[in-house]
């Protein structure tokens, strides 16, 4: 059974987009990917450094990423040799448009889902291999079904702050403001 591998080209495009456009690109994709979305350990480390750096600054540069790698204890992974440093530098020169970062991040998120589902089904396959035929049909069918539902539930139960409609709750807020007028008017 072949496993889907990460798409290193897509990973590079996403990293390059965030490196070049900073918070603007990061906020556009942070709801759909995490450092675990990357298949290469170095790319996971770079994304963690990006997140750390963007806590303090709006635009990234190579030195801010390297400083973040030191504070996260990831410098050994990212600065082993000259090629690693050159790869990080190349992310700031890679031709990418801001509007293309999110579609590539979506592809990366889908690959992560595919990998999770493959691992869950591989585990179900191994559990099915342990059965001896004395189990009920519902037990047998329940094993792969449970694997699929676990991944589906994980996706449905993500507790993130996804974009919302601007007007959600606006009427209640206006009514609350009208019912409780401010006594002291400020400048």
């Amino acid at each position: 059974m072949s496993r889907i591998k990460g798409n290193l080209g897509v990973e590079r495009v996403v990293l390059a987009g965030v490196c070049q456009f900073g918070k603007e690109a990061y906020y556009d994709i942070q709801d759909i990917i995490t450092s675990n979305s990357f298949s290469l350990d170095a790319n996971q480390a770079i994304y963690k450094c990006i997140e750390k750096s963007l806590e303090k600054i709006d635009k990234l540069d190579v030195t801010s990423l390297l400083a973040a790698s030191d504070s996260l204890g990831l410098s050994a992974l990212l600065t082993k040799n000259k090629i690693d440093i050159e790869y990080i530098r190349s992310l700031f020169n890679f031709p990418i448009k801001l509007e293309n970062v999110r579609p590539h991040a979506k592809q990366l998120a889908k690959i992560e889902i595919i990998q999770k589902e493959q691992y869950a089904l591989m585990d179900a396959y191994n559990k099915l291999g342990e059965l001896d035929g004395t189990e009920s049909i519902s037990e047998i069918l329940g094993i792969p079904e449970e694997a699929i539902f676990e991944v589906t539930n994980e996706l449905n139960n993500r507790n993130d702050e996804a974009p919302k409609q601007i007007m959600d709750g606006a009427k209640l807020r206006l009514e609350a403001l009208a019912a409780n007028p401010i006594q002291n008017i400020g400048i």
Side-chain angles (χ1 to χ4, degrees), residues 12 15-16 19-20 42-43 46 61-63 65-66 75 77-94:
R12 183 176 182 168
L15 291 174
C19 283
Q20 292 175 35
N43 286 345
I46 291 169
D61 55 36
V62 174
T63 55
L65 286 182
L66 295 178
S75 59
L77 184 61
L78 295 181
T79 59
K80 286 185 284 193
N81 55 46
K82 189 175 180 178
I83 295 172
D84 297 333
I85 301 294
E86 288 302 317
Y87 176 70
I88 293 171
R89 280 193 184 125
S90 75
L91 295 175
F92 290 90
N93 298 318
F94 193 83

Side-chain angles (χ1 to χ4, degrees), residues 52-132:
K52 178 76 171 168
S53 296
L54 290 177
E55 290 174 3
K56 298 176 182 168
I57 58 175
D58 293 337
K59 289 284 276 181
L60 297 166
D61 55 36
V62 174
T63 55
S64 62
L65 286 182
L66 295 178
S69 73
D70 283 339
S71 68
L72 292 171
L74 299 171
S75 59
L77 184 61
L78 295 181
T79 59
K80 286 185 284 193
N81 55 46
K82 189 175 180 178
I83 295 172
D84 297 333
I85 301 294
E86 288 302 317
Y87 176 70
I88 293 171
R89 280 193 184 125
S90 75
L91 295 175
F92 290 90
N93 298 318
F94 193 83
I96 179 76
K97 293 181 179 180
L98 178 62
E99 61 266 14
N100 294 335
V101 177
R102 184 159 176 97
H104 284 91
K106 284 181 182 178
Q107 184 178 354
L108 200 58
K110 289 176 191 176
I111 291 170
E112 181 183 14
I113 292 167
I114 292 167
Q115 290 170 337
K116 284 181 180 181
E117 192 66 30
Q118 280 186 323
Y119 291 129
L121 290 172
M122 184 77 76
D123 186 47
Y125 178 84
N126 291 334
K127 287 180 182 176
L128 286 170
E130 295 171 2
L131 301 181
D132 62 4

Side-chain angles (χ1 to χ4, degrees), residues 136-148:
S136 69
I137 295 293
S138 62
E139 286 178 273
I140 296 168
L141 295 176
I143 291 173
E145 186 177 69
E146 182 181 339
I148 292 169

